[in-house]
Amino acid sequence: MNILIIGSGGHAGVVIDAIEKGGYYNIVGLIDDFAEVGIIKHGYQILGGQREIPELYRQYGEPFIFIAV
């Protein structure tokens, strides 16, 4: 199951670590209004800001969204 993470700061890093250890979810990327699209943080790409969520939701097959701010 795909998951998008909102946030890319320190808390997002902790959340990513826990998700990766669980091995069940596929993290497709991060959503952050204050980070440049395309950069890599915590090993994952910033895919856009909050405005892009509806399109990303469709693009990645209705993924779970985890708020990590």
Side-chain angles (χ1 to χ4, degrees):
M1 175 59 94
N2 289 333
I3 188 167
L4 288 167
I5 297 176
I6 298 177
S8 65
H11 184 61
V14 172
V15 168
I16 288 167
D17 186 48
I19 291 170
E20 288 176 340
K21 285 181 180 173
Y24 180 74
Y25 295 101
N26 173 46
I27 300 171
V28 295
L30 308 175
I31 306 297
D32 194 325
D33 285 338
F34 304 102
E36 183 180 339
V37 173
I39 66 169
I40 305 297
K41 293 186 97 178
H42 307 292
Y44 296 92
Q45 185 176 23
I46 303 292
L47 300 175
Q50 292 180 37
R51 289 183 179 193
E52 285 75 42
I53 290 174
E55 176 57 35
L56 292 168
Y57 192 77
R58 287 186 293 275
Q59 180 180 347
Y60 288 103
E62 300 181 2
F64 285 114
I65 296 176
F66 193 100
I67 300 172
V69 293

